[in-house]
Amino acid sequence: MSDTFLYGIEVVMNGLMAGVLYALVALGFVLIYKASGIFNYAQGVMALFAALTLVGIMEGQVPFSHLINAIFGTNIHHFGWEVPAILAIFLTMGVMVLFAYLVQRFVFRHLVGQEPIILFMATIGLAYFLEGFGDLMWGSEIKKLDIGLVQGASVWFEDLTSGLGGDGFYGFYIDVLDVTAAVVAVILVVSLTLFSQYSKQGRAMRAVADDHQAALSVGISLNFIWILVWSIAGFVALVAGIMWGAKSGVQFSLSLIALKALPVLMLGGFTSIPGAIVGGLIIGVGEKLFEFMIGPMIGGATEAWFAYVLALVFLVFRPQGLFGDKIIERV
Amino acid sequence: MSDNSQDISQGGYTTVDGRKIGGVMMEMKNITLRFGGVVAISDISFNIHEGEIRAIIGPNGAGKSSMLNVISGFYNPQEGEVWFHGAKRPNMRPYQVAEQGIARTFQNIALFEGMSVLDNVMTGRLTKMKSGMFAQALWKGKAEQEEFENREVVEKIIDFLEIQAIRKTPVARLPYGLKKRVELARALAAEPKLLLLDEPMAGMNVEEKEDMSRFILDVNDEFGTTIALIEHDMGVVMDLSDRVVVMDYGRKIGDGTPAEVLANQDVIDAYLGVSHD
Ligand SMILES: Nc1ncnc2c1ncn2[C@@H]1O[C@H](COP(=O)(O)OP(=O)(O)OP(=O)(O)O)[C@@H](O)[C@H]1O
Ligand SMILES: [Mg+2]
């Protein structure tokens, strides 16, 4: 086999892994959009906020320490303890549930029945608020997130595959962390699907997504379901935040990278959970492969725009995305 | 104005056709509901007895749907009290009312268009599903047992309303008359004590109306369900209902057996369109 072909395969594999992370963020979008028609611009920032909170709790950081120090002239920053990763993850999840409750109670509860664009604007406000709040609470420096996930090349896989190519080929490079992310994503999607299909709350979620009046009449509390949905989106954000943070550190650019979820949604459709996954993988693989094959001819750096252009092409030819509900024009 | 000649007290009574009706289940006391300047319901009182079929009639815009919405918690009245099973009910959200055993259908049909008939009817069981999400995750056996029992009830109702043939059909594809029937099925799946039907026969042809009338009578007869329904077709109202409340411009202008309200001059005037001044 030619080495170029083998490198091509490696590019595809790495693209798949990057795609998993896009898919995780896109998944959070889809959950909220289906249940409430809200396009949640803040999903990426929620991932960032979750990761910041997780690191903060694990390291025993004092929240709002800058603010406290500025007001009281103190100089505190750490409690002096460390919290085990598992416990910190549970605590962070608690914070995300609290966030879900507050968002519903103080923002969206007052916006029920408003135009989608107004809901969307509200989430933009929410995104910037949360970003600033995260900064205020935990500080803005880049943080390392280490919850004990194995990282780095899989030597085993490299050895296993090194025989495939010639002398210059040392085997496929795969980051173990990426594999973990993929496995976690699969587990997440399967459990979310089971939950939505078979549990009482999952049924209620689907009902609310379909018709509010009807949902009310069968005894569903819209408020409860929306808090639940935002909590689940918070959980998905936490998972995405952990994976992404472990890979490239917890930094504020995470919320920008998360915008890649937009083209993912254009591809997969805004209402489809499998769509979010497949869309994420296509974008992940597509941009890596494009950079690998076409990039050198046109000066590289194609990863910055490839996803958006691909989404544009999709918008023109298949506006509902690969898996989205068919848009039927009524005339 | 009112001709509550029969003066049915808190206790039960026996209908013209000899059915035994229980005591008062629901009592509306001096209900007033306003939308801005519009008074949709103006100081109306009436009650619904256990086991009876109670009709609410009146011209368009009289406030009938608003009354049903008050009972089901979709609207909360500015004035007045709602009493249910002998206790004053605080202002409630629709889901809380549903949990109390009150199910409803809508004038404009509110179904889950993206779901099959079976799934729609299944959502009617939500108030009966006990297992929370953690119980379901941890204790699969119990959840499965519950699912099985819910399915049994739902299948019984589907048979009862003769919609077996469309069980798996997506609701969006059904004709209007069948949608109304599915909506009734979903309401029945909750095994309600009180069933509220907002114009269950609107837009139906004669044959469909006959079917629907039969179902309503059977539900009342076989399950003992108390029913309050809004209907425009006077023939249907005469056939179905034990007692009738007549509304016009948000006020109550008649209350009694069908024969009684038909003999009421205010009611005749309202229906013949005598000018209000
Ligand atoms: N949500 C609402 N907001 C504002 N006004 C309302 C609302 N619901 C009802 N109304 C008004 O209250 C009055 C009574 O309406 P309602 O729907 O109860 O009448 P109805 O007797 O059911 O009429 P129909 O036979 O046409 O269904 C009408 O004037 C209507 O415009
Ligand atoms: Mg009406």
Side-chain angles (χ1 to χ4, degrees), chain B residues 59-66 68-69 107-108 198-199 230 232:
Chain B
N60 285 58
K64 307 179 295 292
S65 295
S66 299
L68 224 56
N69 283 329
Q107 187 166 353
N108 300 316
D198 197 343
E199 306 204 13
I230 295 173
H232 275 294

Side-chain angles (χ1 to χ4, degrees), chain A residues 13-27:
Chain A
M13 285 193 293
N14 283 310
L16 281 174
M17 299 307 171
V20 167
L21 286 175
Y22 295 153
L24 275 181
V25 177
L27 188 61

